[in-house]
């Protein structure tokens, strides 16, 4: 970058070349004619050749000037665009949240909308994840599900949910009801890929033979997100076991039934990343908003 001439030399040259007048260039740039003329002479000395042919009452570009002008105009346009982009962003702080996609659908999207009402100057980007955690540099705030024994200082607990076995009301009729845990043995089980151990844990807790809870068992079905699992359950495909946060909307709307109620604590805790490294006011405000809302109104099923 050491071979760059001063920016004011380039601006004077571009304006004079566009209007073929030092006087008009000076008027546009709010400079004196002598200043523009001096910039052009200095630029010509810098690059080692004349840029203009100076006539008594007009200017024309030399071949060197004609060759130089397009590159200068393009460079000045790029500088202008970059500057305008920065100016447009003044007052708008973008916050990036990384979150499991099912939690986005069933909780975070509504929360972010309410945050936006209170903080209209903050722009939020959500990266929905399936299983894989984002590298820390991808997001300002990371929400995740962590097994209790794996909690560390970098993750702050938000809530621990209860698991609930759910299905469509029509599916209950189809299989003759689920009135006791052993009735699950007659049901088609819907598993969440990556969380296939959950049905095994539920069967152990209920005293049922765990072999029938294997995701590879005959008739078992799998989906890669809790949102997909819920959709299959609502469609009458079988029985799913999910954290209460994902079942609430379906239960409230009557699309789902929970004939056995809660079937045990969720084996993982919803967490939020530590806020100590956040650098923007908007990120800190959203981090605090999420923690406050999760504490005051945890999105879990009531007993």
């Amino acid at each position: 970058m050491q071979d760059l001439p001063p920016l004011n030399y380039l601006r004077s040259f571009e304006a004079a070349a566009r209007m073929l007048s030092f006087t008009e260039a000076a008027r546009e740039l709010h400079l004196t004619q002598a200043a523009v003329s001096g910039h052009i002479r200095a630029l010509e000395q810098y690059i080692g050749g004349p840029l203009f042919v100076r006539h008594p009452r007009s200017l024309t570009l030399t071949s060197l000037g004609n060759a130089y002008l397009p590159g200068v105009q393009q460079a000045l346009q790029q500088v202008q665009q970059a500057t305008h982009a920065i100016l447009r962003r003044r007052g708008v702080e973008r916050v990036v949240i990384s979150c499991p996609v099912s939690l986005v659908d069933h909780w975070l999207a509504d929360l972010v909308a309410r945050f936006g009402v209170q903080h209209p100057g903050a722009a939020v980007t959500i990266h929905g994840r399936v299983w894989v955690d984002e590298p820390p540099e991808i997001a300002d705030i990371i929400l995740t599900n962590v097994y209790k024994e794996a909690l560390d200082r970098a993750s702050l607990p938000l809530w621990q949910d209860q698991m609930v076995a759910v299905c469509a009301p029509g599916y209950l009729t189809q299989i003759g009801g689920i009135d006791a845990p052993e009735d699950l043995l007659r049901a088609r089980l819907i598993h969440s890929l990556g969380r296939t151990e959950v049905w095994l844990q539920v069967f152990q807790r209920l005293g049922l033979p765990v072999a029938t809870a294997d995701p590879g068992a005959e008739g078992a079905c799998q989906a890669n997100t809790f949102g997909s699992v819920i959709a299959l359950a609502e469609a009458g495909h079988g029985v799913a076991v999910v954290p209460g946060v994902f079942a609430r909307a379906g239960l409230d709307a009557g699309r789902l039934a929970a004939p056995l109620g809660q079937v045990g604590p969720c084996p993982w805790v919803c967490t939020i990343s530590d806020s100590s490294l956040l650098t923007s006011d908007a990120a800190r405000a959203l981090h605090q908003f999420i923690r406050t809302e999760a504490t005051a109104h945890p999105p879990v099923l009531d007993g």
Side-chain angles (χ1 to χ4, degrees), residues 8 41 46 58 95 138-140 148 188 198 202 256 263 277:
N8 55 350
R41 285 195 304 272
Y46 193 92
S58 65
V95 186
I138 295 296
D140 301 293
K148 291 178 288 183
R188 176 188 292 113
V198 173
V202 168
L256 291 173
V263 291
L277 297 181

Side-chain angles (χ1 to χ4, degrees), residues 24 39 51 55 58 64 71 76 81 104 114 135 139 141 156-157 174 181 186 199-200 205 221 228 242 266-267 282 301:
E24 293 300 321
H39 290 165
L51 297 167
H55 305 288
S58 65
L64 180 62
L76 290 175
Q81 290 172 347
V104 174
R114 288 187 282 114
I141 299 170
L156 306 175
Q174 177 184 333
R186 295 185 283 105
W199 265 122
L200 297 175
R205 190 175 297 114
C221 175
S228 299
V242 297
C266 185
L301 290 178

Side-chain angles (χ1 to χ4, degrees), residues 208-219:
L208 301 175
V210 296
T212 56
D214 191 299
E218 182 179 357

Side-chain angles (χ1 to χ4, degrees), residues 32-79:
T32 65
Q33 182 179 347
V36 170
S37 181
H39 290 165
I40 299 300
R41 285 195 304 272
L43 182 59
E44 289 173 329
Q45 291 174 359
Y46 193 92
I47 64 175
L51 297 167
F52 294 95
V53 178
R54 292 158 175 82
H55 305 288
R57 295 182 182 277
S58 65
L59 297 172
T60 57
L61 284 165
T62 65
S63 58
L64 180 62
N66 272 310
Y68 195 38
L69 179 61
V72 170
Q73 288 179 322
Q74 182 179 6
L76 290 175
Q77 184 178 26
Q78 289 176 339
V79 171

Side-chain angles (χ1 to χ4, degrees), residues 208-241:
L208 301 175
V210 296
T212 56
D214 191 299
E218 182 179 357
C221 175
Q222 299 183 55
N224 68 336
T225 69
F226 277 127
S228 299
V229 166
I230 289 291
L232 286 168
E234 291 184 350
H237 193 72
V239 182
V241 60

Side-chain angles (χ1 to χ4, degrees), residues 172-222:
L172 284 177
T173 302
Q174 177 184 333
I175 66 171
I178 298 177
D179 301 313
E182 54 268 25
D183 293 332
L184 288 173
L185 300 176
R186 295 185 283 105
R188 176 188 292 113
L189 303 185
I190 305 171
H191 296 265
S192 174
L193 286 169
R195 304 289 187 184
T196 54
E197 78 282 2
V198 173
W199 265 122
L200 297 175
Q201 294 170 353
V202 168
F203 269 44
Q204 286 178 333
R205 190 175 297 114
L206 297 178
L208 301 175
V210 296
T212 56
D214 191 299
E218 182 179 357
C221 175
Q222 299 183 55

